[in-house]
Amino acid sequence: VDSPNSGDHLDDRPDLTDEFAVIDRLRVRFEAGARSLYPHQAFPPAGDTWIGDDAAVVSIGAGTGTDARGVWTTDLVVEGIHFDLGICSLDDVGFKALMVSVSDLAAMGAWPRYALVSIAAPSGTDLDLLGEGLATAAELAECAVVGGDLSQAPTLVVSVSALGILRGETPGGPVLRSGARPGDHLLVTGPLGRSAAGLRLLRGGQVQDGPATAGLAGAYRRPMARLREGETARLAGATAAIDVSDGLVADVRHLGRSSNVGVALDSLPVADGASEAEAMGGGEDYELLMATPDPDRLVEAFRSAGMASPLAIGACTSHPGQYSRAGLPLPSGGWRHGF
Amino acid sequence: VDSPNSGDHLDDRPDLTDEFAVIDRLRVRFEAGARSLYPHQAFPPAGDTWIGDDAAVVSIGAGTGTDARGVWTTDLVVEGIHFDLGICSLDDVGFKALMVSVSDLAAMGAWPRYALVSIAAPSGTDLDLLGEGLATAAELAECAVVGGDLSQAPTLVVSVSALGILRGETPGGPVLRSGARPGDHLLVTGPLGRSAAGLRLLRGGQVQDGPATAGLAGAYRRPMARLREGETARLAGATAAIDVSDGLVADVRHLGRSSNVGVALDSLPVADGASEAEAMGGGEDYELLMATPDPDRLVEAFRSAGMASPLAIGACTSHPGQYSRAGLPLPSGGWRHGF
């Protein structure tokens, strides 16, 4: 249940005061409230994952005589923060809102089945165009939009909640952020920095009009959730994963902190046309960062599925709190929005 | 998946152009996108209810070897539209945001199990106070907040997605808007107009400080979803239900239209301190409007459960599109936000 950092990838940090601390306090408060609902059980119930990962895993079958579990997330995009209507259109906004939400499911190895859309929009907003983008993304994600809510508001805000399942004959559990172990290899599903570079080009007016999905601008306007990659990684034994929404530097720390490992990066796959800084800190690429003790198995699984090979970028270490690149400490930074 | 109309209960209508038509077009577009996902099945799958009711009913067990179904909704509240921070506090906002969402589940006869909260908030917003209200409402609704998302935004928007189940040994199906038949009796779970009257008193400065939940002001600030009532109505054979969020006049029409029946009201339970107009059009009461062929059974079920008796207000007729009160046509009006 994570969100992109900001449309301003690199330097404009949101100033919600002490956001990490606020989210930790909210987590404590929400868990305290829920604990009384499970007086005679492990808390959260065994197999569930609640606050603290890309998505929540909930026992939807409880009380219905089955053990079905859903993987469930919500993400919101806000005008002026996550998108700028001067450089993308309303169908891009709808597309992105749905994709960033299902990207959280991709990071768990889950597949989206259903989505609900909440739209707060200024009067006169072309909701058909917004809906076209939502529907297009839903089709690509093979997910049905089954309801929603609509309100007038001074600023456009689109929140998408997505509900998914773990597919496969022996689905096992989801891929959490917390499962990486020292020695695990780290890989990403593709080169980084495309979205940030696209934003830079769009802001500079350096983009020729073309297909909305094309090139770096397309990576910013219409990111693609790595659903097949996430599911493949889960079935190939990945121990942890996270989508690179806040930027590699931030998301490496999220994964390391959740798994209680350090991270040593030794390689940085920079996308063509992107800078190293954009690849390190840009975010909104929605590539997956994956940990595995057996990278050959992961690479082979991707190859068998006809997907581009994942790219090795480093390894997990037994030094929690230590994050390095080529032996030098990683810059700090990273803002967490999901909880 | 329905929402309150507006903080301005009676006269300030949102001016999203032609909102009914927009939502109908979105529904068509989303269904067209999803249809290809179910090429060899009934669409939506048998037992599912998607766009068009208070909440969506989805086969979360599909693909996992079970037939578990979830009842799922999203609702959002927007500063200046659904609440005014001059007359309610941030914990009231959190409380209301959660309650209006689970109220949609109440109307289906479902019980909330989990909630996700999406918060878009201006810098400096006291998120702990907002979270306190969310958590308090979640405890009352016996529902666990299992995740969320947070972003900076110029205007406070809180969207809550709630996932529930149909409880009971023989749960049967949910109570839809569409199940009422001519001759069915209509009842409401309580007198109407409390929230609108509370808003009027708060705006007029006529409220003494007191417990946040007290009296008419409390009905506006901290509405209570009728969860036990909705579940009891389902198990007692109610054929249709809707929560009175948009106002009785509007919600009678929603139910009538979905069920293809007319409605003849013969009684109006006006809350103490509320005007007749507030009871008819105010909305945000979150009482349930229920249809049943056997009102005695419903009344007895409520009595056995120790709840206040539901109040008879009229009946369904075999004249779709005709809505009357004491023989006179109901005023038109009513705005639909959920879909």
Side-chain angles (χ1 to χ4, degrees):
Chain A
V1 190
D2 203 83
S3 85
N5 188 4
S6 155
D8 296 12
H9 290 71
L10 296 174
D11 44 10
D12 294 354
R13 288 176 177 159
D15 61 344
L16 283 168
T17 308
D18 206 7
E19 192 190 3
F20 265 84
V22 166
I23 288 177
D24 282 341
R25 290 198 302 274
L26 287 176
R27 174 186 180 144
V28 167
R29 180 65 187 87
F30 291 144
E31 288 186 352
R35 194 173 294 269
S36 63
L37 302 176
Y38 297 84
H40 305 300
Q41 287 177 261
F43 180 84
D48 276 17
T49 299
W50 290 2
I51 296 172
D53 216 302
D54 288 274
V57 182
V58 294
S59 309
I60 183 59
T64 66
T66 73
D67 63 356
R69 278 189 280 159
V71 185
W72 190 29
T73 189
T74 189
D75 245 321
L76 79 172
V77 296
V78 178
E79 183 178 356
I81 305 289
H82 302 92
F83 61 86
D84 172 351
L85 288 173
I87 55 173
C88 62
S89 67
L90 281 167
D91 52 345
D92 296 332
V93 172
F95 188 100
K96 193 169 189 169
L98 194 129
M99 276 294 177
V100 303
S101 193
V102 300
S103 177
D104 286 330
L105 301 187
M108 311 287 281
W111 199 278
R113 288 188 63 84
Y114 308 107
L116 295 177
V117 297
S118 266
I119 303 168
S123 184
T125 301
D126 184 344
L127 296 174
D128 293 289
L129 191 57
L130 185 71
E132 182 60 33
L134 285 160
T136 301
E139 285 173 64
L140 288 169
E142 297 175 20
C143 137
V145 178
V146 296
D149 194 23
L150 175 62
S151 173
Q152 203 180 10
T155 308
L156 181 60
V157 177
V158 184
S159 176
V160 175
S161 181
L163 183 58
I165 57 170
L166 299 172
R167 303 192 304 187
E169 291 192 7
T170 53
V175 183
L176 305 180
R177 290 184 184 177
S178 56
R181 289 160 297 196
D184 280 358
H185 296 251
L186 288 169
L187 302 91
V188 289
T189 50
L192 302 172
R194 297 177 73 231
S195 177
L199 176 61
R200 170 172 48 80
L201 296 175
L202 285 163
R203 289 217 167 132
Q206 297 168 267
V207 175
Q208 305 295 321
D209 272 345
T213 54
L216 299 174
Y220 170 73
R221 287 169 166 159
R222 299 209 165 199
M224 292 293 297
R226 300 301 183 199
L227 290 163
R228 291 176 60 220
E229 290 82 352
E231 185 170 70
T232 301
R234 174 172 61 81
L235 296 170
T239 52
I242 186 171
D243 67 335
V244 183
S245 54
D246 293 346
L248 183 65
V249 171
D251 291 315
V252 153
R253 287 170 182 272
H254 296 156
L255 187 145
R257 199 168 88 134
S258 294
S259 292
N260 199 33
V261 296
V263 171
L265 300 179
D266 53 28
S267 178
L268 180 70
V270 182
D272 286 348
S275 70
E276 190 165 299
E278 285 164 343
M280 286 293 282
E284 297 206 307
D285 280 318
Y286 301 101
E287 301 293 351
L288 301 180
L289 170 66
M290 304 165 288
T292 175
D294 187 350
D296 293 343
R297 181 179 171 202
L298 192 68
V299 168
E300 172 56 23
F302 273 53
R303 196 198 59 74
S304 296
M307 299 184 299
S309 185
L311 308 168
I313 62 166
C316 300
T317 74
S318 54
H319 303 290
Q322 294 187 20
Y323 305 97
S324 66
R325 179 178 168 216
L328 299 172
L330 276 190
S332 68
W335 297 83
R336 185 176 50 157
H337 297 259
F339 58 93
Chain B
V1 190
D2 205 84
S3 85
N5 188 2
S6 154
D8 295 12
H9 289 71
L10 297 174
D11 44 9
D12 295 354
R13 286 177 180 160
D15 60 346
L16 283 167
T17 308
D18 205 7
E19 191 190 4
F20 265 84
V22 166
I23 288 176
D24 282 341
R25 290 198 302 274
L26 288 175
R27 175 187 178 145
V28 167
R29 180 65 188 87
F30 292 143
E31 288 186 352
R35 194 172 295 268
S36 63
L37 301 177
Y38 298 84
H40 306 300
Q41 288 178 260
F43 180 84
D48 276 19
T49 299
W50 291 2
I51 296 171
D53 215 301
D54 288 275
V57 182
V58 294
S59 308
I60 182 59
T64 66
T66 74
D67 63 355
R69 279 189 280 160
V71 185
W72 190 29
T73 189
T74 189
D75 244 322
L76 79 171
V77 296
V78 178
E79 183 178 355
I81 304 289
H82 302 92
F83 60 86
D84 172 350
L85 287 174
I87 56 173
C88 62
S89 67
L90 281 167
D91 52 345
D92 295 332
V93 172
F95 188 100
K96 192 169 189 168
L98 194 129
M99 276 294 177
V100 303
S101 193
V102 300
S103 177
D104 285 329
L105 301 187
M108 311 287 281
W111 199 278
R113 290 187 62 84
Y114 308 106
L116 296 177
V117 297
S118 267
I119 304 168
S123 183
T125 300
D126 184 344
L127 297 173
D128 293 290
L129 191 58
L130 184 71
E132 182 62 31
L134 285 160
T136 300
E139 286 172 65
L140 288 169
E142 298 175 19
C143 138
V145 178
V146 296
D149 194 23
L150 175 62
S151 173
Q152 202 181 10
T155 306
L156 181 60
V157 177
V158 184
S159 176
V160 175
S161 181
L163 183 58
I165 57 170
L166 299 172
R167 304 192 303 187
E169 291 192 8
T170 52
V175 183
L176 305 180
R177 290 184 186 177
S178 57
R181 289 160 296 198
D184 280 358
H185 296 251
L186 289 169
L187 301 92
V188 288
T189 50
L192 302 172
R194 298 177 72 231
S195 177
L199 176 61
R200 170 173 48 80
L201 295 176
L202 285 163
R203 289 217 167 135
Q206 297 168 267
V207 176
Q208 305 295 320
D209 272 345
T213 53
L216 299 174
Y220 170 73
R221 287 168 165 158
R222 300 210 164 199
M224 292 293 296
R226 299 302 183 198
L227 290 162
R228 290 177 60 223
E229 290 81 353
E231 185 170 70
T232 300
R234 173 172 60 81
L235 295 170
T239 52
I242 186 172
D243 67 336
V244 184
S245 54
D246 293 346
L248 183 65
V249 171
D251 291 315
V252 154
R253 287 171 181 272
H254 296 156
L255 188 145
R257 198 167 88 133
S258 294
S259 293
N260 199 34
V261 297
V263 172
L265 300 179
D266 54 28
S267 178
L268 179 70
V270 182
D272 285 347
S275 70
E276 190 165 299
E278 285 163 344
M280 285 294 282
E284 296 208 305
D285 279 320
Y286 302 101
E287 300 294 351
L288 301 180
L289 170 65
M290 303 165 290
T292 176
D294 188 349
D296 292 343
R297 180 178 171 203
L298 192 68
V299 168
E300 172 57 23
F302 273 54
R303 196 198 59 74
S304 296
M307 299 184 300
S309 185
L311 308 169
I313 63 166
C316 299
T317 75
S318 54
H319 304 289
Q322 294 188 21
Y323 306 97
S324 67
R325 178 177 170 218
L328 298 173
L330 275 190
S332 69
W335 297 82
R336 185 175 51 155
H337 297 259
F339 59 93

